[in-house]
Amino acid sequence: MLFPTTIAGSLPKPEWLAEPNTLWAPWKSKGEELARAKRDATMLAIKLQEDAGIDIVTEGEQARQHFVHGFMEKIEGIDFAHKVEMGIRKDRYKAMVPQVVAPLRLKGRVHADEARVARTHTTRKLKFTLPGPMTIIDTVADGYYGDRVKMAFAFAELLNEEARALQADGVDMIQFDEPAFNVFMDEVSDWGIKALERAAEGLTCATAVHICYGYGIKANTDWKETLGAEWRQYEDIFPAIAKSPIQQVAIECRNSKVPLDLLALLTGKIVQAGVIDVASDTVETAEDVVKVIEAVSKFVPKSNIIATTNCGMAPMRRDIAEAKLMALGAGAKLARQRLG
């Protein structure tokens, strides 16, 4: 099937699970009640995607407070009790982050519950997202390793351990989210790709890397205003990614200033093309989606295009996110009719 659909990863959490329209939103319950609420929200996220015609579903990241911190919570050697303020993405915005204070080790499985709930409740292909090593070390303070690269590879080993376990849970695709690749471009070629490859080592399921311009929050939209008439960050990192064994690359296309001819640099890769803008509350039409897919198809073989969202939708209003899901499914269906 041409133009299968997926989402970047996250969906808004229901109001009964967490504070709406907020990153790092506090949970509304705790203990076993919270565990049940996370399971219910995960099933709801899958149902919403299926109803919208999404072909490769995710668990919506419903059990994670944040896409990076949700992974770090199950790691020994991280102090969450004494957070420090740190600049994220080259000081684009400030956040209170935990500190690495000792050697890093997994306490056990990280995402087993939500992966198994998702696998139990859908027969569709299941994608699971994990933060990439470079993005993790840009979201935690180093009080132990004293070396960014050494710490990144320590996280890469733990990511690999969890990714292999997720594959055994029946996950069809592991996607590593690396928004930091669009910020620290020189380091991507130096060590970022190598750390990503370590995280994906030995996986036989599909592998992907998601490189976006961030959630639709003010810090990110303000940053985009400084990037000029053309966003050419991908030009610096695509050649290195093209040489890597990572099979798929998820990128921003809708309402972005990325020159789409840069996609031709991703020779042989499947491109998850963002056809839904997560930085705008305007709901796309099916025609809007078709236009983006058609534009991407000039530089990527049609058989190598997956239609997705530009980034996660965690901070978005639920009604808007659900409408955008429907537009994604309808638009891809229309594109198959028009361009197939």
Side-chain angles (χ1 to χ4, degrees):
M1 182 179 68
L2 284 180
F3 316 132
T5 52
T6 189
I7 62 171
S10 67
L11 288 171
K13 295 178 177 66
E15 295 84 349
W16 41 262
L17 176 61
E19 195 69 34
N21 313 126
T22 310
L23 284 180
W24 284 292
W27 302 115
K28 292 288 187 72
S29 54
K30 57 186 178 181
E32 183 53 34
E33 182 181 342
L34 176 59
R36 286 195 301 270
K38 288 178 177 180
R39 287 195 293 271
D40 291 347
T42 298
M43 288 187 281
L44 177 60
I46 291 166
K47 180 73 166 87
L48 289 170
Q49 290 170 81
E50 291 185 343
D51 288 351
I54 306 305
D55 303 296
I56 306 163
V57 301
T58 80
E59 38 49 271
E61 300 180 11
Q62 297 297 293
R64 299 179 240 181
Q65 198 169 44
H66 183 266
F67 82 103
V68 177
H69 290 196
F71 179 74
M72 293 196 294
E73 285 171 359
K74 299 289 181 71
I75 298 176
E76 289 181 4
I78 300 179
D79 181 1
F80 277 88
H82 302 93
K83 292 183 179 180
V84 296
E85 187 175 71
M86 182 174 123
I88 306 292
R89 313 292 179 262
K90 276 193 177 175
D91 289 329
R92 192 187 312 166
Y93 58 93
K94 302 285 187 183
M96 297 300 294
V97 301
Q99 304 181 69
V100 174
V101 295
L104 297 168
R105 295 186 187 88
L106 286 185
K107 297 175 183 176
R109 285 299 310 279
V110 183
H111 297 303
D113 288 347
E114 55 263 46
R116 291 168 187 169
V117 168
R119 185 69 284 169
T120 299
H121 290 280
T122 187
T123 58
R124 299 194 185 186
K125 287 188 175 180
L126 177 63
K127 174 169 82 172
F128 208 95
T129 59
L130 293 170
M134 182 179 283
T135 295
I136 292 180
I137 68 160
D138 190 45
T139 323
V140 64
D142 180 13
Y144 176 78
Y145 285 92
D147 183 306
R148 281 168 53 82
V149 179
K150 188 175 180 180
M151 185 166 74
F153 275 86
F155 275 113
E157 290 182 18
L158 305 188
L159 286 165
N160 184 249
E161 188 178 334
E162 178 64 15
R164 287 173 182 247
L166 287 167
Q167 177 177 271
D169 291 333
V171 169
D172 301 288
M173 182 193 301
I174 304 289
Q175 174 181 293
F176 296 95
D177 296 338
E178 282 285 24
F181 274 19
N182 258 357
V183 182
F184 305 101
M185 276 87 75
D186 292 340
E187 293 179 69
V188 173
S189 298
D190 289 346
W191 60 266
I193 290 291
K194 292 185 181 71
L196 180 63
E197 290 173 356
R198 176 65 188 94
E201 191 174 296
L203 293 177
T204 56
C205 66
T207 56
V209 59
H210 171 60
I211 311 162
C212 65
Y213 287 80
Y215 288 125
I217 59 174
K218 188 175 186 301
N220 290 334
T221 55
D222 288 349
W223 172 62
K224 290 179 185 181
E225 293 296 322
T226 71
L227 297 180
E230 284 192 341
W231 301 350
R232 303 195 69 89
Q233 284 76 10
Y234 289 144
E235 189 170 26
D236 293 332
I237 59 178
F238 278 178
I241 293 169
K243 296 174 187 173
S244 81
I246 302 296
Q247 299 158 353
Q248 304 189 14
V249 184
I251 46 87
E252 273 196 37
C253 296
R254 169 75 179 165
N255 286 347
S256 82
K257 296 178 183 178
V258 173
L260 293 183
D261 61 344
L262 298 181
L263 298 178
L265 297 171
L266 293 171
T267 309
K269 301 298 182 188
I270 291 174
V271 173
Q272 295 184 27
V275 299
I276 298 292
D277 184 4
V278 302
S280 168
D281 286 347
T282 301
V283 177
E284 288 79 2
T285 65
E287 293 281 355
D288 292 332
V289 170
V290 173
K291 286 176 184 175
V292 179
I293 292 174
E294 187 171 24
V296 170
S297 70
K298 294 174 182 174
F299 307 102
V300 179
K302 292 177 184 176
S303 58
N304 282 5
I305 297 173
I306 294 175
T308 186
T309 56
N310 279 353
C311 188
M313 296 196 280
M316 188 171 277
R317 276 174 38 195
R318 282 181 66 196
D319 58 335
I320 292 172
E322 290 169 20
K324 283 177 176 277
L325 281 181
M326 298 299 290
L328 174 56
K333 182 178 180 181
L334 184 59
R336 287 178 210 121
Q337 296 169 0
R338 295 256 186 95
L339 308 173

